[in-house]
PDB file of all heavy atoms in Angstrom:
ATOM      1  N   GLU A 471     -11.196   0.624  -3.705  1.00 98.00           N
ATOM      2  CA  GLU A 471     -11.720   1.471  -4.774  1.00 98.00           C
ATOM      3  C   GLU A 471     -11.423   2.910  -4.391  1.00 98.00           C
ATOM      4  O   GLU A 471     -11.523   3.275  -3.223  1.00 98.00           O
ATOM      5  CB  GLU A 471     -13.221   1.257  -4.911  1.00 98.00           C
ATOM      6  CG  GLU A 471     -13.560  -0.197  -5.205  1.00 98.00           C
ATOM      7  CD  GLU A 471     -14.996  -0.391  -5.620  1.00 98.00           C
ATOM      8  OE1 GLU A 471     -15.886  -0.161  -4.788  1.00 98.00           O
ATOM      9  OE2 GLU A 471     -15.209  -0.749  -6.788  1.00 98.00           O
ATOM     10  N   GLY A 472     -11.116   3.733  -5.397  1.00 96.00           N
ATOM     11  CA  GLY A 472     -10.862   5.142  -5.109  1.00 96.00           C
ATOM     12  C   GLY A 472      -9.378   5.449  -5.080  1.00 96.00           C
ATOM     13  O   GLY A 472      -8.522   4.570  -4.918  1.00 96.00           O
ATOM     14  N   GLY A 473      -9.094   6.741  -5.284  1.00 95.00           N
ATOM     15  CA  GLY A 473      -7.734   7.232  -5.181  1.00 95.00           C
ATOM     16  C   GLY A 473      -6.794   6.597  -6.197  1.00 95.00           C
ATOM     17  O   GLY A 473      -7.208   6.010  -7.194  1.00 95.00           O
ATOM     18  N   LYS A 474      -5.491   6.698  -5.909  1.00 96.00           N
ATOM     19  CA  LYS A 474      -4.500   6.083  -6.805  1.00 96.00           C
ATOM     20  C   LYS A 474      -4.532   4.562  -6.654  1.00 96.00           C
ATOM     21  O   LYS A 474      -4.092   3.832  -7.525  1.00 96.00           O
ATOM     22  CB  LYS A 474      -3.103   6.616  -6.493  1.00 96.00           C
ATOM     23  CG  LYS A 474      -2.622   6.279  -5.103  1.00 96.00           C
ATOM     24  CD  LYS A 474      -1.224   6.811  -4.835  1.00 96.00           C
ATOM     25  CE  LYS A 474      -0.784   6.394  -3.432  1.00 96.00           C
ATOM     26  NZ  LYS A 474       0.533   6.877  -3.065  1.00 96.00           N
ATOM     27  N   TYR A 475      -5.066   4.091  -5.519  1.00 97.00           N
ATOM     28  CA  TYR A 475      -4.994   2.667  -5.164  1.00 97.00           C
ATOM     29  C   TYR A 475      -5.803   1.795  -6.131  1.00 97.00           C
ATOM     30  O   TYR A 475      -5.437   0.679  -6.431  1.00 97.00           O
ATOM     31  CB  TYR A 475      -5.475   2.463  -3.729  1.00 97.00           C
ATOM     32  CG  TYR A 475      -4.861   3.476  -2.796  1.00 97.00           C
ATOM     33  CD1 TYR A 475      -5.520   4.663  -2.489  1.00 97.00           C
ATOM     34  CD2 TYR A 475      -3.573   3.273  -2.284  1.00 97.00           C
ATOM     35  CE1 TYR A 475      -4.932   5.616  -1.671  1.00 97.00           C
ATOM     36  CE2 TYR A 475      -2.982   4.219  -1.468  1.00 97.00           C
ATOM     37  CZ  TYR A 475      -3.669   5.401  -1.168  1.00 97.00           C
ATOM     38  OH  TYR A 475      -3.078   6.340  -0.373  1.00 97.00           O
ATOM     39  N   VAL A 476      -6.951   2.332  -6.589  1.00 98.00           N
ATOM     40  CA  VAL A 476      -7.836   1.515  -7.416  1.00 98.00           C
ATOM     41  C   VAL A 476      -7.179   1.154  -8.748  1.00 98.00           C
ATOM     42  O   VAL A 476      -7.542   0.156  -9.374  1.00 98.00           O
ATOM     43  CB  VAL A 476      -9.197   2.232  -7.636  1.00 98.00           C
ATOM     44  CG1 VAL A 476      -9.048   3.442  -8.542  1.00 98.00           C
ATOM     45  CG2 VAL A 476     -10.236   1.282  -8.207  1.00 98.00           C
ATOM     46  N   MET A 477      -6.184   1.945  -9.184  1.00 97.00           N
ATOM     47  CA  MET A 477      -5.591   1.675 -10.490  1.00 97.00           C
ATOM     48  C   MET A 477      -4.878   0.308 -10.490  1.00 97.00           C
ATOM     49  O   MET A 477      -4.802  -0.352 -11.515  1.00 97.00           O
ATOM     50  CB  MET A 477      -4.604   2.787 -10.889  1.00 97.00           C
ATOM     51  CG  MET A 477      -5.211   4.177 -10.935  1.00 97.00           C
ATOM     52  SD  MET A 477      -6.898   4.231 -11.521  1.00 97.00           S
ATOM     53  CE  MET A 477      -6.833   5.341 -12.865  1.00 97.00           C
ATOM     54  N   ASP A 478      -4.394  -0.105  -9.315  1.00 97.00           N
ATOM     55  CA  ASP A 478      -3.754  -1.433  -9.222  1.00 97.00           C
ATOM     56  C   ASP A 478      -4.761  -2.547  -9.518  1.00 97.00           C
ATOM     57  O   ASP A 478      -4.385  -3.628  -9.965  1.00 97.00           O
ATOM     58  CB  ASP A 478      -3.199  -1.678  -7.814  1.00 97.00           C
ATOM     59  CG  ASP A 478      -2.037  -0.755  -7.498  1.00 97.00           C
ATOM     60  OD1 ASP A 478      -1.529  -0.107  -8.428  1.00 97.00           O
ATOM     61  OD2 ASP A 478      -1.654  -0.677  -6.309  1.00 97.00           O
ATOM     62  N   GLU A 479      -6.026  -2.284  -9.226  1.00 98.00           N
ATOM     63  CA  GLU A 479      -7.047  -3.329  -9.372  1.00 98.00           C
ATOM     64  C   GLU A 479      -7.346  -3.635 -10.844  1.00 98.00           C
ATOM     65  O   GLU A 479      -7.874  -4.688 -11.171  1.00 98.00           O
ATOM     66  CB  GLU A 479      -8.354  -2.917  -8.680  1.00 98.00           C
ATOM     67  CG  GLU A 479      -8.199  -2.466  -7.235  1.00 98.00           C
ATOM     68  CD  GLU A 479      -8.130  -3.625  -6.245  1.00 98.00           C
ATOM     69  OE1 GLU A 479      -8.616  -4.724  -6.569  1.00 98.00           O
ATOM     70  OE2 GLU A 479      -7.578  -3.406  -5.141  1.00 98.00           O
ATOM     71  N   TYR A 480      -7.080  -2.664 -11.704  1.00 98.00           N
ATOM     72  CA  TYR A 480      -7.414  -2.840 -13.127  1.00 98.00           C
ATOM     73  C   TYR A 480      -6.184  -2.939 -14.016  1.00 98.00           C
ATOM     74  O   TYR A 480      -6.284  -2.851 -15.241  1.00 98.00           O
ATOM     75  CB  TYR A 480      -8.315  -1.682 -13.605  1.00 98.00           C
ATOM     76  CG  TYR A 480      -9.663  -1.735 -12.929  1.00 98.00           C
ATOM     77  CD1 TYR A 480      -9.915  -0.995 -11.780  1.00 98.00           C
ATOM     78  CD2 TYR A 480     -10.662  -2.577 -13.409  1.00 98.00           C
ATOM     79  CE1 TYR A 480     -11.132  -1.076 -11.125  1.00 98.00           C
ATOM     80  CE2 TYR A 480     -11.885  -2.667 -12.768  1.00 98.00           C
ATOM     81  CZ  TYR A 480     -12.116  -1.911 -11.617  1.00 98.00           C
ATOM     82  OH  TYR A 480     -13.322  -2.010 -10.984  1.00 98.00           O
ATOM     83  N   THR A 481      -5.010  -3.086 -13.390  1.00 98.00           N
ATOM     84  CA  THR A 481      -3.785  -3.223 -14.196  1.00 98.00           C
ATOM     85  C   THR A 481      -2.984  -4.442 -13.734  1.00 98.00           C
ATOM     86  O   THR A 481      -3.052  -4.833 -12.569  1.00 98.00           O
ATOM     87  CB  THR A 481      -2.880  -1.964 -14.076  1.00 98.00           C
ATOM     88  OG1 THR A 481      -2.668  -1.660 -12.701  1.00 98.00           O
ATOM     89  CG2 THR A 481      -3.487  -0.768 -14.775  1.00 98.00           C
ATOM     90  N   GLU A 482      -2.252  -5.003 -14.675  1.00 98.00           N
ATOM     91  CA  GLU A 482      -1.287  -6.066 -14.365  1.00 98.00           C
ATOM     92  C   GLU A 482       0.097  -5.436 -14.380  1.00 98.00           C
ATOM     93  O   GLU A 482       0.367  -4.541 -15.184  1.00 98.00           O
ATOM     94  CB  GLU A 482      -1.288  -7.145 -15.459  1.00 98.00           C
ATOM     95  CG  GLU A 482      -2.552  -7.948 -15.579  1.00 98.00           C
ATOM     96  CD  GLU A 482      -2.736  -8.949 -14.451  1.00 98.00           C
ATOM     97  OE1 GLU A 482      -1.906  -8.970 -13.510  1.00 98.00           O
ATOM     98  OE2 GLU A 482      -3.725  -9.695 -14.515  1.00 98.00           O
ATOM     99  N   LEU A 483       0.952  -5.930 -13.515  1.00 97.00           N
ATOM    100  CA  LEU A 483       2.328  -5.446 -13.498  1.00 97.00           C
ATOM    101  C   LEU A 483       3.159  -6.437 -14.311  1.00 97.00           C
ATOM    102  O   LEU A 483       3.228  -7.620 -13.970  1.00 97.00           O
ATOM    103  CB  LEU A 483       2.803  -5.399 -12.046  1.00 97.00           C
ATOM    104  CG  LEU A 483       4.038  -4.568 -11.746  1.00 97.00           C
ATOM    105  CD1 LEU A 483       3.902  -3.126 -12.222  1.00 97.00           C
ATOM    106  CD2 LEU A 483       4.291  -4.587 -10.238  1.00 97.00           C
ATOM    107  N   LYS A 484       3.719  -5.955 -15.403  1.00 98.00           N
ATOM    108  CA  LYS A 484       4.539  -6.847 -16.245  1.00 98.00           C
ATOM    109  C   LYS A 484       6.014  -6.492 -16.070  1.00 98.00           C
ATOM    110  O   LYS A 484       6.389  -5.322 -16.127  1.00 98.00           O
ATOM    111  CB  LYS A 484       4.135  -6.681 -17.707  1.00 98.00           C
ATOM    112  CG  LYS A 484       4.940  -7.566 -18.643  1.00 98.00           C
ATOM    113  CD  LYS A 484       4.586  -7.334 -20.087  1.00 98.00           C
ATOM    114  CE  LYS A 484       3.316  -8.077 -20.480  1.00 98.00           C
ATOM    115  NZ  LYS A 484       2.986  -7.860 -21.893  1.00 98.00           N
ATOM    116  N   TYR A 485       6.823  -7.526 -15.888  1.00 98.00           N
ATOM    117  CA  TYR A 485       8.269  -7.322 -15.689  1.00 98.00           C
ATOM    118  C   TYR A 485       8.986  -7.599 -17.003  1.00 98.00           C
ATOM    119  O   TYR A 485       8.814  -8.670 -17.599  1.00 98.00           O
ATOM    120  CB  TYR A 485       8.719  -8.270 -14.574  1.00 98.00           C
ATOM    121  CG  TYR A 485      10.205  -8.561 -14.489  1.00 98.00           C
ATOM    122  CD1 TYR A 485      11.155  -7.540 -14.656  1.00 98.00           C
ATOM    123  CD2 TYR A 485      10.655  -9.846 -14.211  1.00 98.00           C
ATOM    124  CE1 TYR A 485      12.501  -7.824 -14.565  1.00 98.00           C
ATOM    125  CE2 TYR A 485      12.002 -10.131 -14.113  1.00 98.00           C
ATOM    126  CZ  TYR A 485      12.930  -9.110 -14.302  1.00 98.00           C
ATOM    127  OH  TYR A 485      14.265  -9.383 -14.217  1.00 98.00           O
ATOM    128  N   VAL A 486       9.759  -6.637 -17.465  1.00 98.00           N
ATOM    129  CA  VAL A 486      10.575  -6.836 -18.658  1.00 98.00           C
ATOM    130  C   VAL A 486      12.042  -6.793 -18.234  1.00 98.00           C
ATOM    131  O   VAL A 486      12.508  -5.772 -17.721  1.00 98.00           O
ATOM    132  CB  VAL A 486      10.314  -5.738 -19.711  1.00 98.00           C
ATOM    133  CG1 VAL A 486      11.170  -5.970 -20.956  1.00 98.00           C
ATOM    134  CG2 VAL A 486       8.828  -5.684 -20.073  1.00 98.00           C
ATOM    135  N   SER A 487      12.735  -7.894 -18.448  1.00 98.00           N
ATOM    136  CA  SER A 487      14.178  -7.939 -18.178  1.00 98.00           C
ATOM    137  C   SER A 487      14.869  -7.710 -19.515  1.00 98.00           C
ATOM    138  O   SER A 487      14.732  -8.519 -20.434  1.00 98.00           O
ATOM    139  CB  SER A 487      14.554  -9.288 -17.589  1.00 98.00           C
ATOM    140  OG  SER A 487      15.950  -9.328 -17.401  1.00 98.00           O
ATOM    141  N   TRP A 488      15.583  -6.647 -19.631  1.00 97.00           N
ATOM    142  CA  TRP A 488      16.085  -6.195 -20.940  1.00 97.00           C
ATOM    143  C   TRP A 488      17.621  -6.205 -20.944  1.00 97.00           C
ATOM    144  O   TRP A 488      18.243  -5.437 -20.228  1.00 97.00           O
ATOM    145  CB  TRP A 488      15.537  -4.772 -21.149  1.00 97.00           C
ATOM    146  CG  TRP A 488      15.827  -4.127 -22.464  1.00 97.00           C
ATOM    147  CD1 TRP A 488      16.595  -4.619 -23.484  1.00 97.00           C
ATOM    148  CD2 TRP A 488      15.362  -2.859 -22.873  1.00 97.00           C
ATOM    149  NE1 TRP A 488      16.622  -3.743 -24.517  1.00 97.00           N
ATOM    150  CE2 TRP A 488      15.872  -2.646 -24.169  1.00 97.00           C
ATOM    151  CE3 TRP A 488      14.560  -1.883 -22.285  1.00 97.00           C
ATOM    152  CZ2 TRP A 488      15.597  -1.459 -24.872  1.00 97.00           C
ATOM    153  CZ3 TRP A 488      14.314  -0.729 -22.998  1.00 97.00           C
ATOM    154  CH2 TRP A 488      14.827  -0.524 -24.288  1.00 97.00           C
ATOM    155  N   ARG A 489      18.162  -7.111 -21.755  1.00 97.00           N
ATOM    156  CA  ARG A 489      19.639  -7.116 -21.882  1.00 97.00           C
ATOM    157  C   ARG A 489      19.994  -6.165 -23.014  1.00 97.00           C
ATOM    158  O   ARG A 489      19.445  -6.278 -24.106  1.00 97.00           O
ATOM    159  CB  ARG A 489      20.142  -8.532 -22.194  1.00 97.00           C
ATOM    160  CG  ARG A 489      21.655  -8.667 -22.159  1.00 97.00           C
ATOM    161  CD  ARG A 489      22.102 -10.085 -22.480  1.00 97.00           C
ATOM    162  NE  ARG A 489      21.744 -11.056 -21.448  1.00 97.00           N
ATOM    163  CZ  ARG A 489      22.430 -11.219 -20.306  1.00 97.00           C
ATOM    164  NH1 ARG A 489      23.485 -10.495 -20.061  1.00 97.00           N
ATOM    165  NH2 ARG A 489      22.037 -12.107 -19.443  1.00 97.00           N
ATOM    166  N   ILE A 490      20.853  -5.212 -22.753  1.00 95.00           N
ATOM    167  CA  ILE A 490      21.109  -4.183 -23.776  1.00 95.00           C
ATOM    168  C   ILE A 490      22.428  -4.448 -24.514  1.00 95.00           C
ATOM    169  O   ILE A 490      23.237  -5.244 -24.065  1.00 95.00           O
ATOM    170  CB  ILE A 490      21.133  -2.763 -23.159  1.00 95.00           C
ATOM    171  CG1 ILE A 490      22.161  -2.678 -22.021  1.00 95.00           C
ATOM    172  CG2 ILE A 490      19.764  -2.389 -22.634  1.00 95.00           C
ATOM    173  CD1 ILE A 490      22.336  -1.282 -21.469  1.00 95.00           C
TER     174      ILE A 490
END
Side-chain angles (χ1 to χ4, degrees):
E471 302 192 294
K474 63 179 182 181
Y475 314 94
V476 70
M477 302 324 236
D478 293 348
E479 308 278 337
Y480 293 95
T481 51
E482 294 287 4
L483 197 55
K484 180 183 279 181
Y485 161 42
V486 180
S487 177
W488 184 356
R489 188 180 292 280
I490 56 174

